[in-house]
């Protein structure tokens, strides 16, 4: 493509059955936002589009579980997700939703057009049916054993263990997710998009046409799908939540969520254009528009095969120029998981790190899963903040601003003759916009973020080498020139950091007082203008851009994750099967009594053992108990407990233990006493 006239940039529609976490941000929304901001800064016409994906089976299942309507579920999460995006500075031109009227109309019309053009095949097939619930069981409504890997918890549309995409009827031993019943087979009619019919076009367009400019991970996945042979894919479902099928015979059926969701990009563009008084059509129908889809790798097939086949079949739309899908982000070495609460949720992050959105944006970009799955660790997050944002970027800016205020009352000094180093430095600044551009235009955001940091590094090194704080005593003229050059770097950083660190950029522009039109600069000005911030210009007072994150703060986050892990383990702990039956006589052999702990001390050189003196009512005896990891000796003195008193004594670490205290465990793995819920006398029998 020659220079595009405009950009339509889409970011994957988040599914509204929960809030979003760092994996979503790293995989899709931060890179998309960097790209959109950069395109706007370089003077392009941009439509940056997203919205909530609100149809589909999981939402109806969640609604049933919580006893509310599907609309209640999507209203709740749409609001939470939208707020997270705003909080993190994601600059969508429109964030819409697929329950919007304009979307229902657009998707319905799209389907109708394909129907009228005979682009679908109709087929009556036997589908699983739940007689009790009176409902067909597509997708997530049915679980069973995966025919490929024997995973017993595969869904009707996909096995999450081996990643196979499935049809509900493929499952072995299917079970209804609604009633648990074994489903029956019942005939139903559906419309299929014959992907096989588009195979030649897809081969030509992607395998030949985009071999060089699409990311290898994306190209490879698409190629393997096409090589496997494409099959017709149903685009309708028997369901009552979604967009009704708008043709004869469509009663009681809706568009498959994966048919309607990508059309959401189009309807969101329409909604935006209507509000902005623009024409939406060029953004989707003009060949001079560059369409880019930002997604995670789980969406590749939909954005590279199914949606393009739909657009091609419709006939009047452009196709994506690129689909720079990212791989997955893991968290501390484990797959992010909503159901296991193994995630850093954006609302939680902001609560723990208020006003530090840029730190997360930067850490996620510098370590983005661009070419392979990557790991987010809190230690790396801390290091990116302390060693780069604080020690390089923040330190440089702080020195420049503080010294300018100290030496010149905040007025940018006159420069005199430039030294060789000055000239090299000023020339280096001019090169940065195109270096960063080249990385962003190839969707290499990590590389781009490191180039930005290199510019700050250049500034830091310049000041450290020139040492204006020493020179001020001996050579005031030279000091002025050094500070002038350093201020040029600072103002270049203010603009070039905007796509990556938007909150910091705004703060820095305000400190440097370069928001007025007289001194404001565009991205390209940095390469072309000889003066970025002029002598005589007044800047403001210093203000810290970043602050050090202490080990304690990081440990708190690690502790949070550890608690999630323990809770998961406890939740997944199998309930032990019942033991063999015993007679009443067997039971009466156990002498269980209420006791009171009189003394407690740690067993020397052990982690787990406490030596207790217990009043059993019969006597005061010594019992050794493995509870030291759950209790300190002080907190249990005076506690009433349940004691098995006729257990044969045995020696533990040389201390004879006469009996056993009965305990159980909380979900987090902390031991708890089994004790009477009101005070009773020691020695009472439990029977
Ligand atoms: Zn499987």
């Amino acid at each position: 493509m020659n220079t595009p006239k405009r950009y339509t940039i889409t970011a994957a529609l988040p599914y509204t059955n929960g809030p979003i976490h760092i994996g979503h941000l790293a995989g899709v929304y931060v890179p998309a936002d960097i790209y959109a901001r950069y395109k706007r800064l370089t003077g392009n016409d941009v439509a940056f589009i997203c919205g909530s994906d609100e149809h589909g089976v999981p939402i109806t299942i969640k609604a049933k579980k919580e006893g509310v309507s599907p609309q209640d579920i999507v209203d709740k999460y749409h609001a939470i997700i939208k707020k997270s995006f705003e909080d993190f500075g994601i600059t969508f031109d429109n964030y819409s939703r697929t329950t919007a009227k304009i979307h229902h109309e657009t998707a319905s019309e799209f389907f109708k057009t394909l129907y009228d053009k005979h682009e679908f095949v109709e087929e009556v097939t036997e589908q699983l049916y739940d007689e009790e619930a009176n409902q067909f069981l597509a997708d997530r409504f049915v679980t069973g054993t995966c025919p490929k890997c024997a995973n017993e918890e595969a869904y009707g549309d996909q096995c999450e263990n081996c990643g196979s995409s499935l049809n509900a009827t493929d499952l072995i031993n299917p079970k209804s997710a609604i009633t648990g019943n074994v489903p029956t087979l019942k005939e139903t009619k559906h419309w299929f998009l014959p992907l096989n019919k588009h195979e030649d076009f897809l081969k030509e367009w992607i395998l030949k046409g985009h071999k060089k400019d699409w990311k290898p991970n994306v190209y490879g996945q698409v190629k393997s799908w096409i090589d496997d042979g494409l099959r017709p894919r149903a685009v309708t479902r028997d369901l009552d939540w979604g967009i009704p099928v708008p043709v004869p015979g469509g009663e009681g059926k809706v568009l498959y969520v994966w048919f309607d969701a990508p059309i959401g990009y189009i309807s969101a563009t329409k909604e935006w254009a209507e509000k902005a008084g623009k024409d939406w059509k060029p953004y989707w129908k003009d060949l001079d528009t560059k369409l880019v889809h930002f997604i995670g790798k789980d969406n590749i097939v939909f954005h590279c095969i199914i949606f393009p086949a739909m657009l091609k079949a419709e006939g009047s739309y452009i196709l994506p120029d690129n689909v720079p899908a990212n791989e997955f982000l893991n968290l501390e070495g484990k797959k992010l998981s909503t159901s296991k609460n193994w995630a850093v949720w954006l609302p939680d992050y902001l609560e723990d790190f208020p006003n530090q959105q840029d730190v997360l944006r930067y850490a996620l970009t510098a370590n983005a899963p661009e070419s392979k799955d990557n790991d987010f660790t809190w230690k790396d997050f801390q290091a990116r903040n302390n060693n780069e944002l604080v020690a390089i970027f923040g330190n440089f800016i702080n020195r420049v601003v503080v010294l300018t205020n100290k030496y010149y009352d905040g007025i940018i000094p006159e420069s005199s003759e430039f030294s060789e180093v000055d000239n090299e430095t000023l020339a280096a600044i001019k090169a940065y916009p195109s270096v960063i551009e080249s990385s962003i235009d190839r969707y290499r955001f990590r590389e781009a973020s490191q180039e930005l940091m290199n510019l700050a590094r250049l500034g830091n090194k310049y000041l450290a080498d020139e040492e204006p704080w020493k020179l001020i005593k001996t050579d005031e003229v030279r000091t002025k020139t050094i500070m002038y050059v350093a201020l040029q770097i600072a103002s270049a950083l203010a603009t070039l950091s905007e796509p990556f660190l938007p909150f910091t950029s705004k703060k820095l522009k305000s400190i440097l007082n370069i928001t007025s039109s007289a001194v404001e600069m565009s991205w390209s000005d940095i390469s072309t203008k000889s003066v970025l911030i002029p002598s005589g210009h007044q800047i403001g007072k210093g203000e810290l851009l970043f602050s050090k994150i202490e080990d304690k703060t990081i440990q708190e986050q690690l502790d949070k994750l550890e608690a999630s892990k323990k809770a998961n383990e406890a939740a997944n702990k199998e309930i032990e099967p019942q033991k063999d039956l015993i007679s009443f006589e067997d039971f009466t052999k156990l002498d269980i009594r209420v006791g009171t702990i009189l003394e407690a001390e740690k067993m020397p050189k052990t982690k787990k053992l406490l030596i207790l003196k217990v009043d059993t009512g019969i006597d005061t005896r010594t019992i050794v108990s493995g509870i030291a990891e759950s209790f300190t000796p002080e907190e249990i003195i005076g506690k009433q407990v349940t004691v098995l008193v006729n257990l044969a004594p045995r020696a533990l670490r040389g201390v004879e233990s006469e009996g056993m205290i009965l305990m159980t465990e909380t979900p987090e793995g902390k031991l708890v006493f089994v004790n009477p819920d009101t005070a009773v006398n020691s020695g009472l029998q439990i029977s």
Side-chain angles (χ1 to χ4, degrees), residues 392-421:
I392 300 170
F393 196 113
N395 181 50
F396 168 66
I397 296 296
N398 192 46
R399 277 174 159 179
V400 173
V401 173
V402 167
L403 295 181
T404 306
N405 274 291
K406 188 172 164 194
Y407 301 159
Y408 315 115
D409 292 327
I411 296 168
I412 296 180
E414 296 283 343
S415 63
S416 51
E417 208 182 319
F418 291 130
S419 71
E420 204 184 317
V421 174

Side-chain angles (χ1 to χ4, degrees), residues 146-151 154 159-164 166:
C146 170
K148 301 209 169 133
C149 76
N151 165 29
C159 169
E160 291 190 340
N161 185 49
C162 68
S164 301
L166 301 171

Side-chain angles (χ1 to χ4, degrees), residues 301-362:
V301 58
F302 297 106
H303 284 81
C304 298
I305 292 180
I306 300 176
F307 189 42
M310 287 161 57
L311 294 171
K312 185 77 167 62
E314 201 278 350
S316 70
Y317 286 91
I318 55 170
L319 297 169
D321 183 76
N322 211 317
V323 185
N326 270 344
E327 300 287 292
F328 287 149
L329 185 74
N330 294 322
L331 171 59
E332 299 287 352
K334 274 198 287 198
K335 201 175 160 186
L336 279 153
S337 161
T338 301
S339 56
K340 291 180 182 154
N341 194 26
W342 190 256
V344 179
W345 304 101
L346 298 190
D348 292 352
Y349 173 87
L350 267 191
E351 215 167 275
D352 295 346
F353 297 91
N355 299 317
Q356 295 178 68
Q357 292 94 325
D358 278 351
V359 180
L360 187 61
R361 283 180 67 121
Y362 180 72

Side-chain angles (χ1 to χ4, degrees), residues 112-120 197 312-315:
K112 191 77 182 10
T113 305
L114 264 55
Y115 176 85
D116 289 341
K117 291 180 77 179
H118 306 288
E119 290 287 347
F120 294 130
K197 191 182 138 185
K312 185 77 167 62
E314 201 278 350

Side-chain angles (χ1 to χ4, degrees), residues 461-523:
K461 181 171 187 315
Y462 177 78
L463 279 188
D465 290 349
E466 300 300 314
E467 300 183 303
W469 45 87
K470 280 190 184 164
L471 218 56
I472 185 82
K473 293 164 200 153
T474 55
D475 189 346
E476 287 195 21
V477 176
R478 175 67 193 143
T479 307
K480 283 183 179 171
T481 304
I482 294 168
M483 290 309 299
Y484 173 88
V485 171
L487 280 152
Q488 305 306 309
I489 303 176
S491 59
L493 277 174
T495 295
L496 295 180
S497 64
E498 198 207 298
F500 308 92
L501 308 167
F503 298 90
T504 307
S505 162
K506 199 172 166 206
K507 225 169 168 184
L508 180 51
K509 282 177 182 167
S510 146
I511 294 171
L512 296 176
N513 189 20
I514 52 174
T515 41
S516 73
S517 60
V519 269
E520 205 173 13
M521 78 200 101
S522 75
W523 185 277

Side-chain angles (χ1 to χ4, degrees), residues 143-354:
T143 59
T145 303
C146 170
K148 301 209 169 133
C149 76
N151 165 29
E152 286 176 15
E153 282 159 27
Y155 292 110
D157 57 347
Q158 199 190 17
C159 169
E160 291 190 340
N161 185 49
C162 68
S164 301
S165 124
L166 301 171
N167 284 316
T169 45
D170 296 340
L171 293 174
I172 302 161
N173 298 326
K175 244 189 357 195
S176 165
I178 309 167
T179 59
N181 294 345
V182 176
T184 54
L185 282 169
K186 194 171 166 177
E187 283 192 341
T188 178
K189 180 165 87 171
H190 282 289
W191 287 265
F192 290 72
L193 184 67
L195 290 175
N196 44 317
K197 191 182 138 185
H198 300 284
E199 220 172 276
D200 288 342
F201 143 70
L202 289 165
K203 276 183 185 161
E204 184 71 24
W205 172 56
I206 304 178
L207 299 189
K208 270 197 187 164
H210 286 297
K211 191 166 185 164
K212 295 222 173 77
D213 63 335
W214 282 19
K215 291 169 65 169
N217 59 325
V218 177
Y219 185 89
Q221 210 189 102
V222 173
K223 186 169 186 311
S224 100
W225 269 79
I226 296 177
D227 287 350
D228 267 1
L230 299 174
R231 283 168 290 278
R233 196 159 175 126
V235 297
T236 53
R237 287 287 189 267
D238 291 292
L239 196 67
D240 57 5
W241 176 245
I243 298 171
V245 173
V247 297
E251 299 76 24
K253 299 172 199 291
V254 297
L255 304 185
Y256 180 32
V257 65
W258 253 106
F259 184 85
D260 95 66
I263 298 172
Y265 299 139
I266 301 170
S267 23
T269 310
K270 281 187 182 174
E271 191 179 64
W272 162 72
E274 231 167 67
K275 276 186 226 154
K278 291 180 170 235
D279 182 8
W280 71 273
K281 287 198 189 79
Y283 292 89
W284 281 95
K285 301 199 170 186
D286 182 351
L287 287 171
D288 287 330
T289 297
K290 183 162 167 168
L291 172 63
V292 182
H293 296 310
F294 282 87
I295 56 165
K297 71 170 164 189
D298 49 339
N299 280 337
I300 290 175
V301 58
F302 297 106
H303 284 81
C304 298
I305 292 180
I306 300 176
F307 189 42
M310 287 161 57
L311 294 171
K312 185 77 167 62
E314 201 278 350
S316 70
Y317 286 91
I318 55 170
L319 297 169
D321 183 76
N322 211 317
V323 185
N326 270 344
E327 300 287 292
F328 287 149
L329 185 74
N330 294 322
L331 171 59
E332 299 287 352
K334 274 198 287 198
K335 201 175 160 186
L336 279 153
S337 161
T338 301
S339 56
K340 291 180 182 154
N341 194 26
W342 190 256
V344 179
W345 304 101
L346 298 190
D348 292 352
Y349 173 87
L350 267 191
E351 215 167 275
D352 295 346
F353 297 91

